């Protein structure tokens, strides 16, 4: 395969389970559900897979070393697996591992599997795992941080500096619930009113119940192949990875320079934009999946990814710019907020949703395509990891 | 309803995780809290400042560090009040307030507490605070912020 550096990598198949409380299935069974859909979608069989990458944030499941059990169950024994962890951005890192293996010419057909079963433990345990996403000794051990608490601190900083309001944050929830109502894979298929969202109880001030994504179970899978392999297989329904960017930030919150945005989002997006030749995301990108684990996260992402100026994210949602018919529809599938956020699955599930959009298979949730380019933005922890993909056909 | 009573699921064996925390190289920080002092570290080679403290410099890779006391008036940078408690913090009993405040070049995390004992009040971003140390009900030493406004 020569140098490999010129090899384009395409996504030829995607799969995603229903998100929600999945007490009906083990991690092996939900991974299988997603992988079977992805293989069928790609028109390949398990024998065609040369490398499997298994992503999970982990700890909440009874299976602490889950890559091999999943690989066995999916019939991939001997094809890897590589287990990947990048907190809530695990899925994006799993796709990257498959992508780079193909770019390097080591594999020419690989599968990235992301999954999480968060409901195997109770809520206080789940909060204690998420609360360890910073630096245990200096944060959780002393202060009992939780994951909603971390984002709530960013929300407080953003509200104080830019005047972002409860109502603007709630508008993100209302939009994403409205979209999720039409997504058969979503955890919450119910619209909510602005009044209900702003009137809900606090989980971590200033974030209320409806500002938070749920505790979710689910899996997603993507089959990636080299351009050469795609030609050999005669596949023409391909979505190409045109750009990818990554960054990260400090584990310890006191070591951050600022709290009203995520440096990892800014840097990851700039890296991906450079690679894909994006200099005006609003004009060049048709549809985006942004990391809305909390409503404030979607508002900060509008700004950090350059959809609007810093501090104007609240106005961006208020003016409908991220809705259908706006400047750039965001989270048309319901977002993490309402489709659900099974940590390790999320990054792969975002790819699944944008692939469906770019292939014009999103049904009632189809965005209007002009350039046939989409974006995924996936954050791990509180901006601890940042990943952005630009996809195109 | 306990898990074993739900249909279609069984309960796993109990699995307890308690870890040893190696604090030998930053022990002065923990001792400091017991004496009412809060310490960061500064690299003698390149001048970089660290809070929370660390024994090695992430910038120039020197391990020649000195302890610097963090004191004076701080400013609240961000905060939250938690209504849902994680496992291990059930003792809190009522919503607690976590904040990050800056003291010159150092930032520290702490629990914000009201002047009046037992009363819960919220800080504001930009509020001036002083930092004190103390133990919570589980015996863990930590930083507490109080308003000086
Ligand atoms: Zn140094």
């Amino acid at each position: 395969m020569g140098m490999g550096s010129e090899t384009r990598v395409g996504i030829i198949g995607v799969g995603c389970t229903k998100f929600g409380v999945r007490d009906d299935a083990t991690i092996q069974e939900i991974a299988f559900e997603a992988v079977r859909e992805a293989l069928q979608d790609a028109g390949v069989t398990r024998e065609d897979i040369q490398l499997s990458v298994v992503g999970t944030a982990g700890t909440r499941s009874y299976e602490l070393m889950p890559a091999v059990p999943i690989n066995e169950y999916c019939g991939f024994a001997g094809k890897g697996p590589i287990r990947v962890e990048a907190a809530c951005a695990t899925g994006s890192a799993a796709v990257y591992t498959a992508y780079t293996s193909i770019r390097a010419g080591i594999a020419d057909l690989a599968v990235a599997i992301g999954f999480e079963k968060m409901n195997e433990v109770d809520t206080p345990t789940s909060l204690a795992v998420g609360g360890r996403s910073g630096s245990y000794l200096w944060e959780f051990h002393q202060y009992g941080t939780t994951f909603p608490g971390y984002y709530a601190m960013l929300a407080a900083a953003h509200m104080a500096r830019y005047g972002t309001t409860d109502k603007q944050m709630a508008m993100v929830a209302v939009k994403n619930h409205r979209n999720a109502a039409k997504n058969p894979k979503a955890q919450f298929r119910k619209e909510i009113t602005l009044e209900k969202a702003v009137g809900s109880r606090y989980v971590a001030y200033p974030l209320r119940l409806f500002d938070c994504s749920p505790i979710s179970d689910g899996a997603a899978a993507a089959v990636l192949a080299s351009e050469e392999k795609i030609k050999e297989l005669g596949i023409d329904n391909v979505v190409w990875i045109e750009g990818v960017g990554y960054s990260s930030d400090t584990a310890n919150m006191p070591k951050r320079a600022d709290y009203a945005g995520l440096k990892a989002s800014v840097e990851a997006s700039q890296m991906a934009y450079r690679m894909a030749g994006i200099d005006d995301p609003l004009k060049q990108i048709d549809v985006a999946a942004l990391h809305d684990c909390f409503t404030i996260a979607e508002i900060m992402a509008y700004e950090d990814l350059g959809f609007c100026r810093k501090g104007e994210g609240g106005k961006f949602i208020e003016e409908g710019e991220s809705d259908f018919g706006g400047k750039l529809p965001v989270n048309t599938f319901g977002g993490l907020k309402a489709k659900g956020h099974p940590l390790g699955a999320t990054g792969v599930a975002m790819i699944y949703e944008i692939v469906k959009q770019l292939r014009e298979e999103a049904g009632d949730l189809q965005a209007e395509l002009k350039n046939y380019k989409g974006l995924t933005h996936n954050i791990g922890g509180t901006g601890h990891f940042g990943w952005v993909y630009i996809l195109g056909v | 309803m306990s898990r074993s009573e739900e249909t279609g699921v069984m309960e796993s064996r109990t699995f307890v995780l308690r870890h040893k925390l190696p604090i030998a190289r930053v022990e002065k920080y923990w001792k400091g809290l017991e004496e009412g002092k809060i310490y960061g570290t500064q690299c003698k080679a390149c001048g970089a400042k660290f809070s929370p403290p660390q024994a090695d410099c992430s910038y120039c890779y020197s391990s020649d560090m000195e302890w610097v006391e963090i004191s004076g008036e701080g400013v609240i940078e961000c905060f939250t009040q938690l209504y849902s408690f994680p496992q291990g913090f059930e003792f809190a009993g009522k919503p607690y307030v976590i904040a990050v405040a800056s003291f010159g070049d150092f930032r520290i995390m702490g629990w914000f507490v009201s002047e009046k004992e037992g009363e819960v009040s919220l800080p504001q971003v930009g509020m001036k605070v002083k930092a004190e140390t103390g133990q919570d009900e589980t015996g863990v030493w930590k930083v507490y912020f109080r308003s000086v406004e």
Side-chain angles (χ1 to χ4, degrees):
Chain A
M1 270 186 87
M3 290 295 289
S5 62
E6 298 305 311
T7 307
R8 283 208 297 168
V9 178
I11 300 162
I12 58 170
V14 287
C16 185
T17 68
K18 169 119 172 69
F19 285 1
V21 179
R22 294 294 308 269
D23 284 346
D24 60 299
T26 64
I27 56 166
Q28 289 94 325
E29 290 160 356
I30 59 165
F32 184 88
E33 207 178 307
V35 168
R36 177 165 56 195
E37 186 186 344
L39 293 178
Q40 282 172 353
D41 186 45
V44 299
T45 67
R46 68 176 184 88
E47 286 92 351
D48 296 313
I49 300 295
Q50 295 158 4
L51 174 69
S52 105
V53 184
V54 179
T56 180
T59 306
R60 289 178 179 84
S61 177
Y62 61 86
E63 201 73 84
L64 295 184
M65 283 157 268
V68 168
I70 282 175
N71 226 40
E72 174 205 287
Y73 201 83
C74 294
F76 297 146
K79 316 286 180 66
I82 299 172
R83 187 253 170 102
V84 172
E85 184 277 312
C88 330
T90 291
S92 291
V95 170
Y96 188 74
T97 306
Y99 166 82
T100 49
S101 299
I102 295 168
R103 279 287 300 261
I106 296 165
D108 52 23
L109 209 126
V111 64
I113 308 163
F115 80 91
E116 209 76 43
K117 281 201 73 198
M118 302 173 71
N119 285 291
E120 286 176 7
V121 292
D122 60 19
T123 299
T125 305
S126 192
L127 284 169
V129 177
R132 281 163 164 81
S133 63
S135 179
Y136 172 83
L137 183 60
W138 309 109
E139 298 189 345
F140 185 87
H141 183 71
Q142 289 180 293
Y143 304 111
T145 44
T146 64
F147 202 59
Y150 277 119
Y151 266 96
M153 288 195 266
L154 304 186
H158 201 275
M159 292 168 93
R161 188 181 303 165
Y162 301 118
T164 307
T165 64
D166 279 31
K167 196 175 149 197
Q168 289 168 333
M169 292 196 293
M171 290 174 102
V172 173
V174 170
K175 168 179 73 73
N176 293 353
H177 273 265
R178 188 165 58 235
N179 294 343
K182 295 179 187 158
N183 184 348
K185 308 253 177 172
Q187 182 159 359
F188 296 135
R189 301 200 59 197
K190 243 167 94 178
E191 295 198 24
I192 56 163
T193 62
L194 196 64
E195 293 67 34
K196 184 171 181 177
V198 292
S200 62
R201 68 178 175 87
Y202 285 120
V203 170
Y205 178 92
L207 299 181
R208 298 169 186 275
L209 184 64
F210 280 99
D211 289 309
C212 305
S213 57
I215 296 174
S216 311
D217 306 329
V223 180
L224 279 65
S226 66
E227 186 165 23
E228 210 178 340
K229 187 73 180 177
I230 289 167
K231 277 187 191 145
E232 184 194 312
L233 293 168
I235 294 170
D236 52 14
N237 202 14
V238 183
V239 173
W240 299 98
I241 296 178
E242 297 187 350
V244 56
Y246 57 84
S247 189
S248 56
D249 208 341
T250 65
N252 286 284
M253 289 291 274
K255 288 180 177 165
R256 297 277 173 92
D258 191 39
Y259 301 99
L262 298 178
K263 188 163 73 78
S265 290
V266 175
E267 292 174 354
S269 62
Q270 285 173 357
M271 182 175 166
Y273 290 167
R274 253 194 322 275
M275 183 173 166
I278 303 290
D279 40 44
D280 187 347
L282 286 190
K283 285 218 175 75
Q284 292 169 273
I285 293 165
D286 298 316
V287 60
L290 300 189
H291 196 90
D292 62 326
C293 50
F294 299 94
T295 53
I296 188 64
E298 183 170 318
I299 289 174
M300 291 193 306
Y302 301 150
E303 302 167 358
D304 293 340
L305 270 63
F307 296 0
C308 62
R309 280 199 294 251
K310 195 68 206 164
E312 293 184 357
K315 206 172 94 185
F316 197 77
I317 177 74
E318 206 164 66
E319 294 179 350
E321 302 295 13
S322 55
D323 208 342
F324 288 97
K327 281 181 181 151
L328 177 40
V330 169
N331 293 334
T332 51
F333 58 95
L336 284 48
K337 174 66 199 84
K339 184 191 175 188
H341 183 25
L343 312 181
T346 290
V348 187
M350 286 176 160
I351 299 264
Y352 165 92
E353 296 290 353
I354 296 299
V355 163
K356 292 280 179 186
Q357 285 284 343
L358 296 179
R359 297 194 324 207
E360 300 186 295
E361 294 169 5
D364 291 343
L365 295 167
Q366 184 62 49
E368 191 191 336
L369 303 178
K370 292 183 192 121
N371 306 295
Y372 289 82
K373 283 193 201 306
L375 175 151
T376 72
H377 162 256
N378 188 197
I379 291 295
T382 322
H384 293 99
F385 302 89
W387 285 90
V388 170
Y389 283 92
I390 308 293
L391 306 181
V393 297
Chain B
M1 186 167 66
S2 87
R3 277 152 193 258
S4 53
E5 287 163 357
E6 293 173 38
T7 54
V9 293
M10 299 194 299
E11 196 152 61
S12 75
R13 290 188 186 276
T14 301
F15 179 43
V16 178
L17 280 170
R18 284 187 82 86
H19 305 90
K20 288 190 281 189
L21 303 172
I23 55 164
R25 298 182 72 205
V26 290
E27 207 164 9
K28 191 175 169 76
Y29 171 85
W30 296 95
K31 287 269 162 62
L33 292 182
E34 294 177 24
E35 295 158 7
K37 291 183 169 149
I38 303 156
Y39 289 105
T41 53
Q42 183 164 17
C43 174
K44 285 186 183 173
C46 79
K49 293 173 179 172
F50 298 96
S51 170
Q54 51 188 70
D56 307 296
C57 178
S58 306
Y59 299 98
C60 77
Y61 270 57
S62 167
S63 296
D64 192 10
M65 306 288 270
E66 63 187 340
W67 290 93
V68 182
E69 193 182 341
I70 301 168
S71 59
E73 215 168 75
V75 178
I76 297 285
E77 297 269 348
C78 59
F79 69 94
T80 182
Q81 183 178 26
L82 297 189
Y83 287 77
S84 297
F85 310 140
Q87 186 196 111
F89 281 81
E90 298 82 356
F91 70 87
K94 57 179 184 291
Y96 52 93
V97 180
I98 306 171
V100 175
S102 57
F103 293 75
D105 293 337
F106 292 105
R107 289 186 166 94
I108 49 179
M109 192 176 271
W111 272 9
F112 178 86
V113 288
S114 171
E115 275 308 313
K116 286 179 199 142
E117 229 32 73
E119 187 183 285
V120 180
S121 66
L122 286 179
Q124 294 299 322
V125 173
M127 178 188 268
K128 293 195 172 73
V129 292
K130 61 181 174 182
E132 296 168 359
T133 69
Q135 266 173 305
D136 66 27
E137 288 91 325
T138 60
V140 173
W141 284 89
K142 57 162 89 20
V143 172
Y144 294 90
F145 298 129
R146 286 181 197 275
S147 172
V148 293
E149 287 179 355

